[in-house]
Amino acid sequence: MSSPAGETSDKPANGQLNTSLKRDIASVEDYEIRVGPGWTLNDGTYNHIPQGKRRKRDIPIPSYVDQAHQAMFGLTSLQLAHNAPITPCAMDIATEHLWRCLPEEVQNLVEVVPPNGPDLWSADRPAIDDNKDDAAKKLLGKKKDDRDNMFEKIFTGLQERTYKYHSELKKKPWAIWPIWVEDKFGSDWLTIVWYSEETVASSGIYDRLRMYEVYDPRRAMEASDNGRCEAIDLRKRRIMTQFIDVLAFGGINTRSASRCPAMMAPMARGEHTSGERCFAAVKEMLNCILENYIDGRPFNPKEDVLPSLPRWVNPYQARIEMTGINAWVLMSAFDYNGRIVVECLEPEMKANIVVDGARRTIKPYALAGPLNGPQIADADYCTEPLVGEAAKQEPQPKKNPKDQKKGRT
């Protein structure tokens, strides 16, 4: 499938993620489907029409062109390699699907905020302060048909109050927000979870922030005095400060807010699986809200706490689930006039990709990840030693058979 003429690309450049998600689709007439070379395994479910004999009515047109483009790019990016960074398109499609699969009672309790970053979470604080209005406009990268209205300002007389999406955040007590952060510690997906209350009882406007936490899978590269690779408090504190400013900019009362320390499964050295862990964190938090508050029991900030997530996550299983969601959404965007297929490449064809700044070649079963799952974190959510699959695969020095016979070591 190809993009309409004049459309900008969302593909990462120089290892960076383009999070603007710019879409400028005039109509379905601009949509084009190209068929590339390859082999198709036909089981007789449908009659194959040669490319030279296809008519215009034989070409499926998506009912939701913009969503089809998002899911298409998300699916393509997820298929490149098992450890390539998760793109905002793939994260948006996958996390929104998790929310849509919840019971309506839970959907009314929690908002899964569309992913964004890295501008709003930069360590360059003066740059954000100098362009605070622009930073607020970059708050959320929602879909094209909603963007114009979402960032329209609300006025009371001549006084500007807030952006429309801030009012959306005030409609539900719970919110979960995946964010992409780039700083000296690395480029990672983090998850912000918060709970708000009504300032005026029974108003349905949750404009008073009570409790929040930032879930970060990355651990410090250097061990602390106790020999453990612990969470990066410096990064967490910076993100929390900027998060509070973002909500306060939208008229949300943050004066009585408190942080609730919580942890998630750590990401080992040599891994770049924060996106998969972020998706797993969103799923786990939604299930937690489902289990604890679906019966109407209110969250009590004085007694309840935000949960620490499981100490073990298999990022490759999460990536496969995200791939399936993006594929299914893409298929449904065509009114199910499409099928999920396996593309058969020519034998011995090398599929080169770039992951973590290095060129790699996809190997058989690479997309499914290692056969052995990651280790379980210790009780303090650190691992000892904090080593990933990349470090485990370093070649070990070979022992001399003659030394073994002589009993040497």
Side-chain angles (χ1 to χ4, degrees):
M1 284 181 282
S2 66
S3 303
E7 186 187 14
T8 58
S9 174
D10 263 336
K11 292 186 177 180
N14 298 326
Q16 304 294 323
L17 287 180
N18 181 353
T19 58
S20 58
L21 302 184
K22 295 179 180 178
R23 299 296 182 203
D24 187 17
I25 301 172
S27 65
V28 293
E29 283 73 18
D30 294 332
Y31 200 83
E32 178 186 353
I33 295 180
R34 292 186 302 173
V35 180
W39 296 92
T40 301
L41 304 179
N42 190 345
D43 61 354
T45 304
Y46 59 91
N47 295 324
H48 177 71
I49 303 176
Q51 187 173 359
K53 296 184 179 181
R54 287 174 186 155
R55 298 159 295 182
K56 188 174 182 179
R57 67 182 184 182
D58 296 324
I59 305 298
I61 301 297
S63 298
Y64 304 96
V65 180
D66 201 62
Q67 195 171 38
H69 267 270
Q70 265 195 297
M72 178 192 67
F73 179 70
L75 176 61
T76 301
S77 62
L78 285 165
Q79 290 183 112
L80 288 178
H82 70 269
N83 57 351
I86 299 293
T87 60
C89 279
M91 183 69 72
D92 191 13
I93 291 291
T95 53
E96 183 181 19
H97 176 80
L98 291 177
W99 177 84
R100 291 187 181 278
C101 290
L102 293 170
E104 185 177 357
E105 294 83 357
V106 183
Q107 290 184 3
N108 295 332
L109 285 177
V110 59
E111 174 78 4
V112 177
V113 186
N116 95 306
D119 295 333
L120 205 56
W121 316 107
S122 170
D124 188 3
R125 183 72 196 191
I128 296 179
D129 291 337
D130 293 341
N131 302 278
K132 197 162 188 178
D133 189 67
D134 292 336
K137 290 182 180 179
K138 294 175 182 177
L139 171 63
L140 300 168
K142 210 165 174 65
K143 300 177 179 61
K144 168 71 171 102
D145 53 356
D146 296 332
R147 187 177 295 122
D148 295 338
N149 291 330
M150 182 174 68
F151 292 124
E152 180 181 341
K153 295 177 182 178
I154 300 175
F155 289 84
T156 303
L158 298 177
Q159 183 179 4
E160 175 187 316
R161 290 180 57 195
T162 183
Y163 287 94
K164 278 191 174 180
Y165 199 82
H166 280 102
S167 63
E168 294 294 323
L169 293 179
K170 299 175 187 177
K171 292 181 179 179
K172 301 174 184 178
W174 289 95
I176 305 173
W177 191 358
I179 62 172
W180 173 254
V181 178
E182 296 176 3
D183 55 22
K184 65 180 181 180
F185 303 107
S187 298
D188 303 300
W189 284 100
L190 279 63
T191 310
I192 306 178
V193 180
W194 73 92
Y195 174 80
S196 301
E197 289 182 341
E198 301 167 305
T199 301
V200 179
S202 303
S203 63
I205 302 176
Y206 298 88
D207 55 354
R208 183 188 178 198
L209 178 66
R210 291 303 311 273
M211 190 170 288
Y212 63 93
E213 176 60 328
V214 175
Y215 293 86
D216 185 359
R218 186 172 290 279
R219 298 294 180 264
M221 294 297 292
E222 301 296 332
S224 60
D225 295 338
N226 60 7
R228 312 291 283 168
C229 295
E230 299 177 346
I232 307 173
D233 287 336
L234 184 62
R235 173 195 260 188
K236 275 195 172 187
R237 287 197 298 268
R238 189 192 82 238
I239 297 299
M240 289 174 185
T241 300
Q242 292 165 231
F243 161 70
I244 292 294
D245 286 350
V246 166
L247 294 192
F249 189 73
I252 296 176
N253 184 351
T254 61
R255 290 188 294 272
S256 60
S258 62
R259 176 198 170 190
C260 180
M263 299 291 287
M264 68 181 298
M267 182 172 62
R269 293 177 190 168
E271 287 189 4
H272 298 267
T273 58
S274 63
E276 293 89 339
R277 296 173 187 276
C278 176
F279 169 80
V282 173
K283 184 177 181 180
E284 183 65 26
M285 281 302 307
L286 289 174
N287 289 335
C288 178
I289 296 172
L290 170 66
E291 292 294 330
N292 292 289
Y293 307 108
I294 191 173
D295 295 327
R297 184 179 76 86
F299 181 84
N300 187 350
K302 296 181 180 180
E303 298 179 1
D304 297 342
V305 296
L306 298 179
S308 287
L309 303 179
R311 289 157 43 198
W312 183 85
V313 170
N314 191 324
Y316 308 104
Q317 186 275 334
R319 190 180 188 94
I320 292 170
E321 186 175 355
M322 296 180 73
T323 305
I325 291 174
N326 276 261
W328 192 269
V329 171
L330 177 60
M331 180 179 66
S332 64
F334 282 89
D335 289 330
Y336 295 93
N337 293 320
R339 295 293 179 267
I340 300 174
V341 300
V342 175
E343 180 184 10
C344 300
L345 302 176
E346 296 177 11
E348 305 300 328
M349 176 182 286
K350 292 184 178 180
N352 291 326
I353 56 165
V354 175
V355 179
D356 308 330
R359 186 166 293 279
R360 310 279 179 83
T361 300
I362 293 181
K363 299 180 180 179
Y365 209 69
L367 300 183
L371 293 177
N372 297 324
Q375 56 187 323
I376 299 176
D378 292 334
D380 59 357
Y381 285 79
C382 292
T383 54
E384 189 177 15
L386 192 66
V387 179
E389 291 297 328
K392 290 180 183 178
Q393 295 174 1
E394 293 181 358
Q396 300 294 328
K398 296 182 179 180
K399 295 183 179 180
N400 190 332
K402 295 182 180 179
D403 292 340
Q404 291 181 353
K405 290 181 180 179
K406 297 178 181 180
R408 298 176 183 176
T409 56

